């Protein structure tokens, strides 16, 4: 293969959308562009292209409106742009077109895959991920999960990253306006909950755990900031009310959330005001865990899943039950366990005499999850893939090579000496 | 000798250039008293060790383990290469001859020990052999023969018809040189070119090119005889190019290039020489095979 690879990146949200997907593109894509040239990085984020943005930091943003991955346009983009491979990020369960194209050798597809469900039916794996050229798990936990489904195309994990230069600790007490907007006070126990109002986040159990903690420690002034759109598959306000926390809970401006939410810079300030980040859903990675650890803030994660790879400072909540109502399963946090974890964190605050923070957690997070570190792992993998393309000739040559072209230009004419049919005596 | 003839498709029943060639050789083998058994992978056959020799012909689907078995049981084998796969290029009919083909390509590791184990390597032309040497330079030191495709001089001859224009056959796709044909047509706008093929790539041809549908093998001599020139401008290495030999025997002036294997033979200069060498091909094939055992 001559020249740098051309990578078509497909995620749901574009790089200016403050979602998990958006942040991945925001931080990874420019680094790939710096390495391979912005003209060789194509972004296809169909939800993003609602805003009719066609360019981001020198990279082309391909058009196509969709509420999901926009697979219906992806093949057209592939045929027109002729990238080296497709890097698809995130949920792979709903994919249909991409696996079919890969199965028919029409695209080379690399899936950067979360493993955020248990008991995935083998036929889903066989019909989807088996056709990926490479499946790149986000975590060691995810790697073990995916290999357990007899996939042979699973690489070493490459985690999602965090911009540790942006996600730096600062004292929330120096952000009084932000503290006030979150309903936090210096002497209260300030809990930050992030999670979309989706059933699969199992917010109820986590919020119940906080409610239980408040009930069992009535002398501790608990404050909760729920950073989400309150109305979704579940009604967050109802969950909070049932947990007996409505009087101590603040929600973000819903108009702001509908308009795209807070910027990453604003979120850093929000995190810095918290005493603990509560994010104990079973996630593929848990971006909130990374972000909190990057500023040294303790987190409560779930004991099952990748959280124990990420959490350096905080507590892991045991599983309360497994939700078998869907064909695929998620472990769900135990409310009693949440309450117990909150106790541990509150004790840390009491000992610290202020918001508990860990420099060690920050340094370890920086060493493993900073976007520069993550990007360099991608560079290594891309280089390996490019060599494989050459070694196994995965992309058929479009044009003959130099020697063949030169030979083709040298004409040879042969004239038969016979003018009419003659008996040619054959031996 | 009891000979095992390894082929993807049974040459005694299937149609195709390679099968054509193999059939001619197999029939000659019978006439020379050999007991030739066609071995098609996946179909039952006598055990390998019962053969005095195995000829590995146009075979891409044979398992590598079979070669291990032949070596283990000391069954001698000969390679009769028809194109490039699977030893030189996974694309079989298309060998790009790029630098990576002789430095990175995984096939070299896989096939080198097997190629070294052959008693004899038979190629269709000097150019065909040269292309293999690009990937395996050490092959030049191993025993080999060059045997052209056996073209039947009784089927292709000058009928004495009035000839007009240029004929091209199956040069309608990229890897068969359609770009070269289009360029030649544009540079020779006064020439009327009949292109036998289907235009599967949906190319736009200059107005002096007329597409006609493919003909049966028995109709080809007539078609050659209706044209003055046969044009064959291969973009990739063509191991032989039997249409060039057929057209020359049928009395056409052949215009090819240095990618055509047939034209790399020094004797490809007259219909007589082509007729003689192609007719002798099966005999020379068997002489070489018999000498190798």
């Amino acid at each position: 293969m001559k020249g740098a690879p051309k990578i078509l990146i497909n995620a749901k949200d574009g790089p200016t959308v403050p979602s998990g997907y958006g942040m991945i593109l925001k931080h990874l894509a420019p680094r790939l562009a710096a390495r391979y040239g912005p003209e060789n990085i194509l972004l296809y984020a169909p939800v993003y292209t609602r805003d009719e943005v066609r360019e981001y930091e020198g990279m082309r943003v391909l058009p196509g409106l969709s509420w999901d991955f926009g697979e219906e346009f992806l093949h057209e983009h592939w045929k027109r742009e002729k990238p080296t491979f497709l890097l698809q990020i995130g949920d792979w369960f709903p994919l249909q077109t991409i696996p079919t194209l890969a199965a028919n050798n029409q695209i080379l597809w690399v899936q950067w895959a979360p493993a955020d469900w248990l008991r995935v039916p083998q036929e889903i794996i066989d019909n989807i991920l088996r056709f990926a050229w490479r499946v790149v798990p986000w975590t060691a936990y995810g790697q073990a999960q995916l290999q357990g489904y007899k996939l042979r195309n699973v690489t070493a994990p490459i985690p999602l990253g965090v911009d540790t230069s942006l996600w730096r600790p600062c004292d929330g007490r120096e952000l009084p306006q932000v503290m006030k907007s979150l309903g936090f006070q210096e002497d209260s126990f300030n809990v930050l909950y992030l999670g979309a109002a989706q059933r699969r986040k199992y917010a109820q159990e986590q919020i119940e755990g906080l409610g239980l903690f408040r009930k069992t420690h009535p002398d501790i002034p608990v404050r909760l900031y729920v950073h989400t759109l309150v109305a979704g598959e579940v009604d967050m306000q109802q969950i909070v009310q049932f947990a007996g926390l409505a009087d101590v809970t603040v929600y973000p401006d819903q108009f702001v959330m509908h308009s795209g939410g807070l910027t990453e810079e604003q979120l850093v300030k929000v995190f810095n005001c918290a005493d603990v980040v509560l994010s104990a859903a079973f996630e593929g990675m848990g971006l909130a865990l990374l972000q909190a650890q990057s500023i040294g803030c303790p987190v409560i994660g779930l004991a099952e899943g990748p959280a124990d790879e990420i959490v350096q400072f905080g507590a892991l909540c045991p599983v309360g039950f497994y939700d078998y109502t869907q064909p695929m399963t998620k472990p769900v946090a135990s409310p009693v366990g949440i309450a117990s974890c909150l106790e541990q964190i509150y004790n840390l605050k009491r000992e610290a005499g202020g918001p508990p923070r860990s420099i060690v957690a920050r340094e370890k997070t920086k060493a493993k999850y900073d976007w520069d570190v993550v990007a360099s792992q991608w560079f290594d993998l891309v280089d390996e893939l490019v060599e494989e393309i050459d070694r196994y000739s995965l992309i058929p040559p479009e044009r003959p090579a130099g020697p063949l072209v030169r030979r083709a230009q040298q004409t040879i004419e042969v004239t038969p000496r016979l003018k009419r049919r003659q008996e040619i005596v054959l031996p | 000798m009891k000979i095992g003839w390894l082929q993807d498709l049974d040459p005694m029943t299937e149609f195709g250039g390679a099968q054509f060639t193999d059939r001619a050789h197999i029939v000659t083998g019978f006439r020379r008293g050999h007991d030739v058994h066609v071995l098609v992978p996946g179909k039952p056959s006598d055990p390998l060790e019962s053969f005095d020799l195995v000829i590995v012909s146009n075979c891409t689907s044979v398992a590598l383990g079979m070669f291990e078995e032949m070596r283990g049981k000391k069954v001698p084998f000969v390679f009769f290469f028809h194109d490039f796969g699977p030893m030189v290029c996974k694309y079989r009919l298309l060998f790009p001859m790029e630098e990576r083909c002789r430095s990175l390509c995984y096939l070299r590791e896989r096939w080198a020990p097997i190629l070294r184990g052959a008693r004899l390597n038979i190629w269709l032309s000097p150019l065909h052999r040269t292309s293999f040497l690009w990937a395996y330079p050490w092959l030049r030191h191993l025993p080999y023969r060059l045997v052209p495709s056996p073209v039947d001089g009784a089927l292709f001859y000058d009928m004495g018809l009035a000839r007009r224009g240029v004929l091209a056959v199956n040069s309608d796709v990229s890897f068969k040189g359609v770009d070269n044909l289009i360029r030649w047509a544009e540079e020779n706008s006064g020439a009327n070119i009949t292109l036998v093929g289907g235009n599967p790539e949906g190319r736009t041809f200059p107005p002096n090119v007329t597409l006609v549908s493919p003909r049966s093998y028995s109709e080809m001599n007539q078609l050659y005889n209706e044209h003055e020139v046969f044009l064959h401008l291969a973009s990739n290495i063509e191991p032989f190019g039997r249409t060039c030999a057929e057209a020359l025997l049928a009395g056409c002036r052949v215009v090819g290039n240095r990618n055509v294997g047939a034209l790399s033979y020094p004797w490809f200069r007259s219909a007589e020489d082509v007729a003689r060498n192609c007719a002798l091909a099966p005999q020379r094939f068997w002489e070489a095979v018999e000498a190798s055992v």
Side-chain angles (χ1 to χ4, degrees), chain A residues 393 407 410 412-414 421, chain B residues 91 157-158 253-254 256 258:
Chain A
S393 198
R407 298 182 72 90
Q410 295 165 29
I412 299 175
E413 281 195 31
V414 182
R421 185 170 192 264
Chain B
Y91 298 110
Y157 55 91
D158 189 344
R253 176 161 57 97
V254 172
R258 287 192 61 221

Side-chain angles (χ1 to χ4, degrees), chain A residues 81 91 113 143 370 404:
Chain A
E81 302 294 339
D91 288 334
Q143 181 186 25
D370 182 80
L404 297 180

Side-chain angles (χ1 to χ4, degrees), chain B residues 1-215:
Chain B
M1 286 189 285
K2 184 178 178 186
I3 308 274
W5 191 287
L6 205 48
Q7 242 270 22
D8 281 339
L9 301 169
D10 190 340
M12 309 311 286
T13 58
E14 299 281 348
F15 182 78
Q19 287 71 254
F20 238 57
T21 296
D22 281 13
R23 188 154 57 238
H25 290 320
I26 290 171
V27 166
T28 302
F30 286 137
R31 289 187 184 139
R32 290 171 80 93
H34 297 299
D35 180 18
V36 182
H37 293 240
V38 174
L39 308 175
V40 178
K43 294 199 175 160
S45 66
D46 290 350
L48 280 175
E49 57 269 30
S50 70
F51 294 101
D52 298 311
L53 178 79
V54 171
I55 295 174
V56 184
S57 181
N58 192 37
C59 200
T60 60
S61 53
V62 67
L64 289 178
M66 183 177 272
F67 294 97
E68 294 294 325
E69 193 184 337
M70 285 196 284
R71 284 199 291 187
K73 293 176 179 172
K74 295 187 171 31
V75 177
F77 61 92
V78 164
F79 275 114
F80 177 30
F81 303 111
H82 284 268
D83 36 55
F84 306 105
M87 303 88 186
V88 163
C89 192
K90 64 187 268 188
Y91 298 110
R92 197 168 73 84
L93 301 176
L94 161 66
F95 180 38
M97 273 178 76
E98 293 173 354
E99 197 49 48
R100 61 186 166 111
C101 299
R102 57 180 175 183
S103 57
L104 269 181
C105 183
Y106 72 108
L107 290 173
R108 292 167 65 251
E109 283 170 30
R110 182 180 292 184
W111 283 100
I114 297 171
L115 289 169
R116 283 185 206 277
R119 287 292 181 96
L120 178 71
N121 294 308
I122 302 175
W123 285 280
L124 293 175
S125 69
L127 180 59
H128 192 196
R129 177 173 179 254
T130 301
S131 65
F132 270 65
L133 296 181
W134 175 272
Y136 304 102
W138 44 263
L139 274 176
R140 60 172 40 89
H141 304 297
L142 300 184
Y144 75 95
R145 277 298 186 277
L146 303 175
V147 177
S149 294
V151 177
D152 192 343
L155 293 179
F156 296 97
Y157 55 91
D158 189 344
M159 295 165 73
L161 300 179
R163 295 172 183 270
R164 195 175 10 218
V166 178
L167 176 69
V169 175
N170 292 341
S171 298
D172 55 346
V173 289
S174 300
F175 87 92
K176 286 282 195 181
V178 69
D179 292 301
N180 295 335
L181 182 139
I182 290 172
R183 198 172 307 117
W184 194 92
E186 287 166 350
E187 289 167 3
N188 297 273
S189 55
N192 291 321
I193 303 160
T194 304
L195 173 58
V196 177
N199 193 15
E201 294 178 359
R203 308 296 289 266
T204 303
F205 293 96
N208 57 333
V209 176
T210 306
L211 266 171
V212 300
S213 54
R215 306 296 166 86

Side-chain angles (χ1 to χ4, degrees), chain A residues 110-329:
Chain A
V110 174
Q111 179 68 35
W112 199 12
D116 53 353
W117 291 92
L118 301 177
R119 291 184 34 185
V120 177
Q122 187 66 41
E123 67 175 15
I124 291 183
I125 302 286
D126 290 344
N127 290 338
I128 299 177
L129 284 186
R130 186 164 62 95
F131 300 114
W133 184 22
R134 289 291 194 280
V135 178
V136 184
W138 290 357
T139 62
Y141 176 86
Q143 181 186 25
Q145 284 281 306
L146 292 167
Q147 285 173 337
Y149 294 116
K150 299 177 199 144
L151 283 171
R152 291 201 224 169
N153 51 356
V154 180
T155 69
I158 299 181
L160 304 186
V162 61
D163 182 355
T164 58
S165 65
L166 177 64
W167 288 86
R168 287 193 315 270
C170 73
D171 195 334
R173 290 170 290 193
E174 293 170 10
L175 303 166
Q177 292 299 325
V178 179
M179 288 279 282
K180 188 177 172 188
S181 70
L182 302 178
F184 290 169
Q185 292 158 7
E186 279 186 33
D187 59 350
S188 58
F189 185 34
N190 303 314
V191 179
L192 168 61
Y193 173 81
L194 292 101
Q198 295 168 333
R199 243 175 234 111
R200 60 195 170 115
K201 301 292 184 183
Y202 299 97
Q204 181 166 336
E205 286 74 16
Q206 297 177 65
I207 302 298
E208 263 183 30
L210 178 59
L212 192 60
F213 173 82
R214 191 190 184 198
K215 275 193 194 122
T216 51
H217 299 85
D219 52 321
I220 297 175
V222 168
R223 296 291 181 269
L224 173 64
Y225 173 68
V226 176
H227 185 73
T228 190
L229 277 166
V230 298
E233 288 176 6
V234 298
D235 185 337
M236 289 301 297
Q237 287 179 308
Q238 206 173 58
I239 288 173
V240 166
Q241 185 155 5
F242 282 163
L245 295 165
D247 59 322
V248 294
T249 301
V250 169
Y251 304 94
D253 185 325
Q254 294 298 290
F255 179 78
V256 169
M257 296 301 287
H258 275 295
S259 308
L262 299 181
T263 64
E264 206 176 352
E265 290 75 5
Q266 289 170 322
L267 273 177
V268 172
K269 292 179 184 172
V270 169
F271 273 64
N272 269 295
C273 291
D275 293 327
V276 63
V277 172
L278 176 55
S279 182
F282 182 70
E283 302 274 25
M285 184 92 189
L287 207 52
L289 299 177
L290 271 187
Q291 291 163 336
Q293 297 287 273
S294 181
I295 67 167
C297 178
V299 297
I300 297 174
L302 187 64
E304 180 153 355
D308 72 336
E309 293 171 44
I310 300 165
V311 176
Q312 306 290 333
F313 183 49
L316 294 178
C317 173
V319 174
F321 67 96
Y322 291 84
D323 186 356
Y324 290 105
T325 58
Q326 304 181 71
M328 301 188 294
T329 306

